[in-house]
């Protein structure tokens, strides 16, 4: 890679992935949001209409169709063959005026889904990336069962690690101390993600979705510059989180070398990379987004966040801070790291 690559279209519709383990409360949240005025002009993609209980909200009957309009102004559609096809179909139908306009999309995943492949699709399919912009991953965390699930289910830890925002559900059904305990674990597992708490889906969709700002995820760094070990009881599958400040301006070949080094040395063990880097010649810092081996083209920050610091947050397995710092330093400085580095 040399020179500045083009980034995604600023006109692209923001898209949110709503994930969370089986029974964690995704549908309960969506069912409430679909009735909320603030959620009008949203297109929601679910696996089955039946799950969200829409019957009395329908404006159009969805007999043959997989897209229905609700009286709240939302569109609801079921996932047909693949997410890419469903999103492309929605885009064309909106352009032809066959369905009302929508200004954001929410995709609900199934409970055991790993959100990473969806994120990969949105980051790598150029046509899709020009039409839809991955604006955030929201993970529901089961207030009743999370403390038991986190040790036994890698999916749960992965969903938490990949999220930009975490929603602890079922606060009405558990003591406040348990919610506080869960919040403590979440802060350790993914310190950059904002945590909200909900009872029976009573969460304003605007607070939950639109307030996500990638760069604000870096505000925690001032107090969390060390390495965080998340003890799950399964030592070999623990995730660590670390932050490496990068103050100097970066050039594109150096950044490409770093991405290559991450991909070849860590692969799927590097679950998430988020950050802000200042590129030489660019007025605004650029947001860095990586999910396992897939890295999106860096994009200029849309909001200037006062708390944000330049650097990279890494979440993964087997990350050694000193080694990573050295790798980043070498690649961004124009050097070629040795195989052992
Ligand atoms: N008390 C209480 N129950 C809740 C809350 N949220 C969800 N539930 C209940 O938990 C169960 C699962 O909720 P769903 O919203 O269907 O969860 P889901 O994540 O969509 O589940 P899957 O489709 O299996 O992945 C249902 O019985 C809900 O009524 C909550 O905030 N409080």
């Amino acid at each position: 890679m040399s020179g500045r690559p083009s980034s995604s279209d600023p006109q692209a519709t923001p898209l949110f992935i709503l994930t969370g383990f089986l029974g964690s409360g995704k549908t309960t949240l969506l069912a409430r949001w679909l009735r909320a005025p603030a959620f009008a002009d949203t297109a929601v993609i679910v696996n089955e209409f039946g799950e969200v209980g829409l019957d009395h909200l329908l404006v159009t009957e969805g007999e043959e169709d997989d897209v229905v309009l609700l009286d709240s102004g939302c569109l609801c559609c079921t996932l047909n063959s693949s997410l890419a096809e469903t999103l492309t179909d929605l885009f064309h139908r909106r352009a032809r005026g066959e369905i009302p306009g929508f200004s954001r999309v929410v995709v609900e995943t199934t409970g055991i889904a790993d959100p990473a492949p969806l994120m990969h699709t949105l980051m790598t399919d150029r046509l899709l990336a020009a039409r839809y912009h991955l604006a955030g991953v929201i993970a529901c965390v089961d207030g009743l069962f999370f403390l038991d699930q986190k040790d036994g289910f890698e999916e749960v830890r992965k969903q938490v690690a990949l999220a930009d925002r975490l929603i602890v559900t079922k606060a009405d059904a558990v003591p406040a101390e348990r919610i506080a305990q869960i919040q403590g674990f979440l802060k350790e597992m993914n310190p950059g993600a904002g945590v909200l708490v909900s009872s029976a889906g009573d969460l304003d969709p605007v607070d939950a979705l639109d307030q996500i700002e990638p760069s604000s995820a870096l505000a925690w760094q001032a107090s969390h510059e060390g390495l965080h070990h998340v003890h799950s009881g399964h030592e070999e599958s623990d995730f660590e989180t670390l932050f490496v400040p990068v103050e100097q301006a970066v050039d594109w070949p150096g950044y490409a070398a770093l991405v290559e080094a991450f991909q070849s040395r860590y692969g799927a063990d590097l679950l998430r990379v988020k950050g802000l880097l200042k590129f030489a010649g660019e007025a605004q810092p650029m947001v860095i987004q990586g999910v396992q081996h897939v890295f999106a083209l860096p994009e200029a920050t849309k909001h200037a966040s006062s708390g944000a610091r330049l650097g990279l947050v890494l979440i993964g397995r087997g990350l050694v801070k000193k080694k990573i710092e050295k790798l980043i330093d070498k690649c961004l400085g124009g050097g070629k790291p040795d195989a052992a580095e």
Side-chain angles (χ1 to χ4, degrees), residues 20-29 51 108-112 140 142 144 169-173 198-202:
F21 200 54
L22 291 167
S24 59
K26 302 178 291 292
T27 310
T28 303
L29 264 179
E51 288 183 3
E108 181 193 9
T109 70
T110 62
I112 44 168
C140 287
D142 196 316
L144 271 173
T169 60
K170 310 184 186 180
D172 55 305
S198 110
S199 295
D202 65 344

Side-chain angles (χ1 to χ4, degrees), residues 15 35 55 73 75 77-78 144 157 204 220 255 280 292 303:
L15 182 149
R35 293 163 175 77
D55 301 354
L75 285 169
C77 62
T78 49
L144 271 173
R157 296 196 297 278
D204 185 327
W220 60 274
Y255 174 71
Q292 294 173 333
H303 322 268

